[in-house]
Amino acid sequence: MTSTQSIPTPGASAPGTGTPAPAGTPQPGSGRPRRAGLPGRRTTRPADRGASRVFRWLATGAGTLILVVLAAVAVFLVIKAWPALSTPAEQLADEVSLLGGSTLLEFVGPLVFGTVLAAALALLLAMPVALGIALFISHYSPRRLANALGYVVDLLAAIPSVVYGLWGSLVLAPAIQPLWAWLGSTFGWIPLFSGVVSPTGRVLATVGMVLAVMILPIITAVTREVFLQTPRLHEEAALALGATRWEMVRTAVLPFARSGIVSAAMLGLGRALGETMAVLMILSPGMLYSFKLLVAGQQQTIAANIAGQFPEANPMGVSTLIATGLALFLITLLVNMAARAIVARRKDFSGAN
């Protein structure tokens, strides 16, 4: 004769005790415990309703809008530049010669070279200063001084580029010309400082300094915030192991902030690539592939050339200038894509992990 064993029901007394078993207690012969009041089947996430749905659609629309604007700019540049791109070189020669070249490629090439050279020089001058200011604000200065200095640096971003151009052409260029003359006479054997130094100071080196001041606020602001996000335990661990303040910064802060530093540098580089008025008001332009930073009439940037040539250009000349704008658009796009790739590759090795 076999005996059957009844399966206890939820709320029945637990075996060997007189108290009822709590809901969710695993019963003999059963699988995983069930939560009290929940059905056995898997529940799904409730759908958005009301304000939640409105917010989701607004966020999606805002993210899509930037893609639409970017595509619209690209389409506009291609359509307006197509007459210059599709015209044979011999027919375009007369129009391009009025702008400073013999063919479209010979016209665009020096402008691309001058744009990249000026932006790279500005980034080279601004990055060490920006990193030093950001580290001083985040890890060295007293709190009151850090707040005041942060406000002063942020105010530099509110100054219009025309003001920077006036300052650079009327104040900085005459004041710094003796320094350029000394560099030319002392280090003239270096290709960057060779040649006859301009007596006016309106050279690419001056433009690089002005652009460095212009991109300083954005690089400093981004790197400062990244430095402040360094985990406190990382810094305290480095100090507890006997590291000095600089060793702590070098081993804990800078590795953690590497991706943010790259992002800040690329943001500053993008600003320098597209700057127009300051370059137009300072630089004595030229259409050469030249690394001479202290000689006038050597380089020119795309944005400044468009602003200077556009009022007097005929329809085909306007199309040619817009073609150079398309080249600047592609350069900026490539710079941002490269920055994203660098950040995505380096973040796995940062101190954040």
Side-chain angles (χ1 to χ4, degrees):
M1 180 177 181
T2 58
S3 60
T4 59
Q5 181 179 3
S6 60
I7 299 176
T9 59
S13 48
T17 63
T19 58
T25 303
Q27 303 299 333
S30 64
R32 292 183 300 176
R34 294 180 180 178
R35 295 183 181 178
L38 292 180
R41 61 185 179 86
R42 185 176 181 181
T43 59
T44 58
R45 184 175 60 88
D48 293 336
R49 293 186 177 89
S52 179
R53 176 178 296 180
V54 173
F55 178 78
R56 180 167 63 88
W57 281 106
L58 288 176
T60 304
T64 306
L65 179 62
I66 186 63
L67 298 178
V68 173
V69 171
L70 184 63
V73 171
V75 171
F76 166 79
L77 291 175
V78 171
I79 292 176
K80 294 297 184 181
W82 187 251
L85 297 176
S86 60
T87 302
E90 58 274 7
Q91 298 181 16
L92 192 63
D94 294 337
E95 306 295 339
V96 176
S97 63
L98 297 177
L99 300 175
S102 57
T103 64
L104 182 60
L105 182 60
E106 293 181 1
F107 175 65
V108 176
L111 294 177
V112 173
F113 175 82
T115 301
V116 175
L117 182 60
L121 178 61
L123 187 64
L124 182 65
L125 295 175
M127 278 302 297
V129 179
L131 291 178
I133 295 175
L135 281 175
F136 179 76
I137 293 175
S138 60
H139 287 83
Y140 287 92
S141 66
R143 182 175 298 274
R144 292 184 178 179
L145 179 59
N147 293 334
L149 187 59
Y151 292 144
V152 171
V153 173
D154 292 340
L155 282 176
L156 292 176
I159 300 176
S161 59
V162 175
V163 176
Y164 280 111
L166 290 173
W167 170 71
S169 61
L170 300 179
V171 178
L172 181 62
I176 207 170
Q177 197 277 333
L179 176 61
W180 299 153
W182 177 79
L183 287 176
S185 61
T186 306
F187 300 100
W189 50 272
I190 300 177
L192 294 176
F193 307 134
S194 61
V196 180
V197 179
S198 171
T200 62
R202 295 176 176 269
V203 293
L204 194 67
T206 306
V207 171
M209 293 193 65
V210 174
L211 291 180
V213 176
M214 296 180 68
I215 67 177
L216 190 67
I218 186 171
I219 300 177
T220 303
V222 174
T223 52
R224 178 188 63 199
E225 295 302 321
V226 174
F227 289 157
L228 291 174
Q229 296 301 319
T230 305
R232 186 65 179 174
L233 291 178
H234 292 191
E235 300 178 359
E236 292 177 352
L239 294 174
L241 292 174
T244 62
R245 181 65 64 89
W246 162 241
E247 290 173 341
M248 180 270 293
V249 169
R250 182 170 56 86
T251 58
V253 178
L254 293 181
F256 176 84
R258 186 177 291 114
S259 297
I261 294 173
V262 173
S263 300
M266 294 302 104
L267 287 174
L269 182 61
R271 170 73 189 277
L273 286 171
E275 180 52 41
T276 304
M277 292 308 300
V279 180
L280 181 64
M281 299 173 70
I282 298 172
L283 184 62
S284 177
M287 299 293 291
L288 302 176
Y289 293 98
S290 174
F291 286 97
K292 297 178 180 180
L293 303 179
L294 307 180
V295 181
Q298 300 292 303
Q299 307 90 1
Q300 176 66 303
T301 65
I302 294 176
N305 184 74
I306 293 175
Q309 301 286 349
F310 190 85
E312 300 178 357
N314 54 30
M316 185 57 70
V318 170
S319 180
T320 304
L321 292 175
I322 294 178
T324 63
L326 179 61
L328 180 59
F329 178 83
L330 294 177
I331 292 172
T332 307
L333 184 62
L334 291 176
V335 167
N336 283 276
M337 292 175 62
R340 298 291 295 180
I342 294 173
V343 171
R345 186 181 63 181
R346 300 295 300 181
K347 67 179 181 181
D348 294 335
F349 305 97
S350 67
N353 299 315

